[in-house]
């Protein structure tokens, strides 16, 4: 009986966040594909789908979409936990369209800002010219944006502590590492915080009595 309840709960959870788990399914397929590539072919294959300066200048839409369908490093399982912990609750809370809006805003804007900063560094001699072809793929910018927007799901005063922790977690690498990806992650967090208009009108917490009453009705 408990096993059946657990299976039913998992199915209901997945059905409530279809975008999250379709995305995870795509990442599973692409990760398996990566494991069947030689290291040399994999590097060139991913570079063509990377949101580096060279690809953004010639195929911006294609690489902005394709870069979010691959995981650099080939480790898929950790993302099952991260997507279930952050993406799924936000999608269930905001709905698929608004959740996707947060993901797209964080992924696209953070990419453009971080790569713009890298281009500035190249032109001013801070970064090497070869950095125009740097490898930049993955889903971390969208994840950081969703982690940040989740602050509006948490009731006060706990949301302030959560927001502070999120800022620290992403600000420390920016201060100590100062890479363009660190800038991209921190920018994604700020974008997530700035997505308040998308969450306006959504309840910060579910009230069990109201939920039970609605179900009974």
């Amino acid at each position: 009986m408990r096993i059946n309840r657990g299976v039913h709960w998992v199915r209901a959870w997945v059905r409530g966040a279809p975008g999250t788990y379709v995305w995870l399914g795509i990442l599973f397929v692409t990760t398996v594909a990566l494991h069947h590539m030689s290291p040399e072919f994999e590097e060139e294959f991913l570079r063509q789908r990377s949101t580096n300066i060279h690809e953004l200048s010639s195929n911006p839409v294609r690489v902005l979409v394709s870069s979010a369908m691959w995981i650099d490093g080939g480790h898929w399982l950790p993302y099952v936990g991260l997507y279930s912990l952050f993406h799924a609750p936000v999608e269930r809370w905001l709905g698929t369209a608004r959740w996707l809006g947060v993901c797209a805003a964080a992924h696209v804007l953070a990419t453009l800002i971080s790569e713009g900063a890298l281009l500035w560094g190249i032109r001013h001699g801070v970064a090497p010219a070869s950095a125009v072809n740097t490898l930049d793929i993955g889903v971390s910018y969208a994840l950081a944006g969703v982690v940040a927007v989740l602050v509006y799901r948490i009731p006060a005063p706990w949301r302030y502590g959560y927001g502070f922790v999120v800022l620290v977690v992403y600000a420390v690498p920016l201060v100590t590492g100062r890479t363009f990806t660190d800038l991209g992650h921190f920018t994604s967090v700020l974008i997530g915080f700035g997505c308040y208009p998308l969450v306006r009108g959504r309840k910060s917490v579910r009230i069990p009595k109201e939920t039970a009453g609605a179900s009974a009705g």
Side-chain angles (χ1 to χ4, degrees):
M1 182 65 70
R2 291 182 179 178
I3 294 177
N4 290 336
R5 289 180 179 176
V7 171
H8 177 74
W9 184 89
V10 170
R11 287 178 177 174
W13 181 262
V14 171
R15 283 198 300 267
T20 295
Y21 292 100
V22 167
W23 196 357
L24 265 178
I26 293 172
L27 291 176
F28 175 77
V29 173
T30 57
T31 300
V32 171
L34 284 181
H35 285 296
H36 288 81
M37 298 179 187
S38 66
E40 297 78 12
F41 180 81
E42 176 184 333
E43 182 177 357
E44 182 58 27
F45 179 86
L46 292 179
R47 198 175 304 281
Q48 293 176 6
R49 287 151 182 81
S50 172
T51 50
N52 55 45
I53 296 170
H54 174 72
E55 294 295 337
L56 279 173
S57 64
S58 55
N59 301 289
V61 176
R62 180 181 66 81
V63 295
L64 282 168
V65 174
S66 63
S67 65
M69 302 301 161
W70 301 86
I71 299 173
D72 188 17
H75 299 292
W76 179 76
L77 279 178
Y79 287 92
V80 177
L82 290 171
Y83 271 50
S84 298
L85 184 61
F86 295 107
H87 277 294
V90 171
E91 184 180 2
R92 291 172 63 88
W93 167 46
L94 296 180
T96 300
R98 295 190 184 195
W99 160 78
L100 191 58
V102 174
C103 293
H107 175 67
V108 173
L109 295 179
T111 295
L112 296 178
I113 291 171
S114 60
E115 292 293 341
L118 180 59
L119 179 60
W120 181 92
I122 293 172
R123 289 177 174 175
H124 289 79
V126 178
S130 60
V132 297
N133 291 310
T134 189
L135 187 62
D136 185 19
I137 63 166
V139 298
S140 57
Y141 290 172
L143 178 61
V146 166
V147 168
V149 81
L150 193 60
V151 71
Y152 300 115
R153 182 74 172 88
I154 302 171
W158 309 109
R159 69 173 51 171
Y160 306 116
Y162 175 85
F164 176 76
V165 170
V166 171
L167 277 174
V168 170
V169 166
Y170 285 96
V172 169
L174 177 61
V175 173
T176 58
R178 293 181 292 181
T179 67
F180 77 95
T181 53
D182 294 327
L183 174 61
H185 289 135
F186 188 74
T187 302
S188 298
V189 167
L190 297 183
I191 292 169
F193 287 150
C195 285
Y196 177 73
L198 290 177
V199 310
R200 188 179 300 157
R202 300 284 173 165
K203 293 180 180 179
S204 59
V205 291
R206 293 180 179 178
I207 303 174
K209 290 183 178 179
E210 291 183 357
T211 304
S215 299

